[in-house]
Amino acid sequence: MDSEYDVIVVGGGAAGENAADRAVKGGLTAAIVEKSLLGGACSYWACEPSKALLRPGTALHAARRVPGSREAVTGQLDVPAVLAHRDEASSHWDDSGQAQWAEGVGIKVIRGTARLTGARRLWVTDDDGNHFTLTARHAVVLATGSLPVIPKVPGLHNVRVWTTPDATSTQEVPESLAVIGAGVAGAELAQAFARLGSKVTMLARGSFLSAFPEDARNLVAEGLRADGVEILEGVSPEFAERTDDGAVRLTLPGDRTLKAERLLVAAGRRPALDGLGLPAFGIEPHLLRVDESGRVQGLSWLYAVGDCSGGAKLTHQGKYQARITGDAIVARSRDELDADVEPWSRWARTADVLAVPHVVFTDPEIASVGLTEEDAWEAGIRVRAVELPISVAGAWQHAEDYEGWAQFLVDEDARTLIGACFAGPDVAELLHAATIAIVGEVPLERLWHATPSFPTVSEIWLRFLEAYGL
């Protein structure tokens, strides 16, 4: 095995794969050091399996909301079939296909762990216990992902808990499920398991889906409650213990207790940067900072992409960052790029700040992109919010009782869209239009000429522009 490559990527998830691929496409050699499955959490324990668990219930519910198809639906979800579908979506936790792809495009995959020992130098321990040094001629890219945060609840360390990988890979549906955390992952998995037959209770330390506007999260909360999910806001467990029958009992404020067969902790994630040797370079793992090209502050040869680099922990955003960073490394290897990069250039992660698309894949969904109203005012932008129900002919065709909500944020000086949020069934499909409008800084007067097809839910764009005054 070679000991020297132009680029060495630590971590073979979606972001790491894309960084290595862009380097190879630019004419450089690249290796990935990965200790688990190539393809990372998204492929095996997050995006793919969680959506495979959610989609059957969403499809069944959608059929029941349209006259004609409603009368044809006579059964409930086939749980073994749903789990089998999830297994297929996760490639049965077999990464041979990903490994073949890497080999085919010219990326060397090294199974093991890596630690930085010097500039562009890594100490690697492979799966057989062998130790060796790898050297990068141009750059090392950290793409190590993130780890679940376990809250400091007394007794929790003595209780068997699920984190999201456990929930998305389970082969059994528990009779009852308690969920600590009411963010995106908690909401999605709560609904998935409720529709598969679990009695689900969610504990939110603050507000349910607190990162999103109140009107949007209220629609999702109504959807979960309709599926039998109990949502307790402003509640944190005070103690956790295992019961004699192997279940979990949580003590809640006010002497209330909650017992569940399984306990899912979905209380957020933190960058997975431990054990990489960063303190030797004056970098505290929880304080990793990168510039617009993904380069770690203070080190010209070290880059970070994906969850470990901070910012939104989203697969598509990590892949975007990786493409930017890979191209920047190639350009610098050719002396075509100096330290500074222009915003919105092919070497700048500008969208990380201004146009990150988020989707909550519950039923109904939330889809948002760009700045929030609070972000805009803090940035000194004179913003106007246009809020309206999604009540158009396309929505009525989509579902007899369609209920949705939309918010559009306009920079009043530039007269361009800077943020958007949609809530309702299948609104994720509205999101890319908003993303394009924001990234392209399309003036509203030009957007007026983008006529939505009739009858589609996209007609909400016309209603927004009319409400704005065009």
Side-chain angles (χ1 to χ4, degrees):
M1 182 177 64
D2 294 336
S3 61
E4 191 170 83
Y5 299 86
D6 292 326
V7 179
I8 299 173
V9 181
V10 183
E17 287 179 324
N18 273 262
D21 187 42
R22 296 299 286 197
V24 169
K25 285 178 177 176
L28 304 181
T29 60
I32 289 175
V33 182
E34 172 55 55
K35 64 181 179 180
S36 184
L37 297 181
L38 194 65
C42 178
S43 297
Y44 307 104
W45 299 287
C47 320
E48 296 285 359
S50 65
K51 305 315 167 281
L53 291 173
L54 281 161
R55 180 58 190 163
T58 301
L60 180 62
H61 188 64
R64 287 174 171 161
R65 300 176 68 187
V66 179
S69 65
R70 175 190 302 136
E71 289 75 13
V73 177
T74 58
Q76 301 298 319
L77 287 176
D78 183 323
V79 174
V82 173
L83 296 181
H85 171 60
R86 184 276 320 274
D87 293 349
E88 287 288 332
S90 303
S91 302
H92 297 273
W93 296 276
D94 178 358
D95 69 350
S96 56
Q98 295 287 83
Q100 290 171 9
W101 166 82
E103 180 182 353
V105 300
I107 300 170
K108 175 65 178 180
V109 178
I110 300 166
R111 306 286 184 168
T113 59
R115 177 172 57 86
L116 291 164
T117 57
R120 296 181 295 278
R121 192 168 66 248
L122 293 156
W123 180 249
V124 178
T125 303
D126 69 16
D127 284 353
D128 296 323
N130 301 310
H131 306 284
F132 49 90
T133 296
L134 292 180
T135 303
R137 299 182 188 95
H138 295 295
V140 173
V141 181
L142 303 180
T144 49
S146 58
L147 297 169
V149 172
I150 306 298
K152 295 180 179 179
V153 176
L156 194 61
H157 62 286
N158 293 322
V159 171
R160 179 190 170 194
V161 301
W162 274 359
T163 56
T164 49
D166 301 305
T168 57
S169 61
T170 183
Q171 294 297 328
E172 296 181 355
V173 174
E175 184 176 315
S176 54
L177 177 69
V179 183
I180 296 178
V184 176
E188 290 181 352
L189 289 171
Q191 187 169 48
F193 279 94
R195 288 183 166 180
L196 289 170
S198 298
K199 177 178 171 53
V200 181
T201 304
M202 295 188 70
L203 306 180
R205 183 176 60 180
S207 298
F208 173 74
L209 288 176
S210 59
F212 299 93
E214 184 177 2
D215 291 89
R217 63 177 186 254
N218 283 346
L219 280 176
V220 177
E222 289 172 11
L224 266 65
R225 290 186 177 112
D227 289 322
V229 177
E230 184 180 14
I231 302 172
L232 303 179
E233 296 185 291
V235 175
S236 295
E238 297 177 339
F239 187 73
E241 59 186 329
R242 182 178 178 181
T243 63
D244 292 340
D245 57 0
V248 177
R249 182 186 294 114
L250 299 176
T251 301
L252 308 180
D255 294 325
R256 179 178 174 180
T257 61
L258 171 63
K259 182 180 177 181
E261 183 181 346
R262 289 284 181 268
L263 172 62
L264 168 61
V265 174
R269 301 183 68 85
R270 64 177 180 85
L273 294 168
D274 300 332
L276 291 172
L278 292 174
F281 299 88
I283 301 170
E284 293 300 323
H286 62 284
L287 292 175
L288 190 66
R289 294 188 177 91
V290 298
D291 66 14
E292 279 212 310
S293 67
R295 188 157 56 176
V296 175
Q297 190 175 39
L299 296 173
S300 63
W301 52 270
L302 186 63
Y303 295 76
V305 298
D307 286 9
C308 74
S309 68
K313 294 175 175 60
L314 299 163
T315 296
H316 51 269
Q317 209 64 22
K319 292 163 72 173
Y320 160 78
Q321 295 165 1
R323 294 190 295 268
I324 297 289
T325 291
D327 287 352
I329 291 169
V330 170
R332 287 184 174 129
S333 75
R334 300 171 178 170
D335 293 324
E336 296 173 354
L337 179 66
D338 56 21
D340 297 323
V341 294
E342 288 293 321
W344 296 120
S345 71
R346 65 179 299 177
W347 306 298
R349 293 162 42 165
T350 311
D352 274 0
V353 177
L354 298 177
V356 179
H358 297 256
V359 177
V360 186
F361 286 95
T362 47
D363 179 20
E365 295 174 335
I366 297 178
S368 69
V369 64
L371 302 180
T372 65
E373 190 172 3
E374 183 180 355
D375 290 336
W377 284 116
E378 288 182 356
I381 298 172
R382 192 166 62 92
V383 64
R384 175 182 169 188
V386 177
E387 299 177 358
L388 62 165
I390 300 178
S391 180
V392 294
W396 182 84
Q397 294 282 2
H398 193 87
E400 189 177 44
D401 58 348
Y402 194 102
E403 186 177 2
W405 175 85
Q407 179 192 66
F408 298 87
L409 300 177
V410 177
D411 180 335
E412 287 286 78
D413 296 319
R415 289 180 69 82
T416 58
L417 192 70
I418 58 172
C421 182
F422 308 95
D426 296 321
V427 293
E429 299 305 327
L430 295 173
L431 190 59
H432 197 54
T435 305
I436 292 171
I438 292 170
V439 171
E441 299 176 342
V442 181
L444 296 190
E445 286 75 13
R446 177 61 63 87
L447 201 58
W448 175 249
H449 295 279
T451 306
S453 299
F454 181 89
T456 64
V457 181
S458 290
E459 195 179 0
I460 190 63
W461 283 90
L462 174 58
R463 300 293 169 243
F464 147 58
L465 292 168
E466 290 175 334
Y468 183 78
L470 294 182

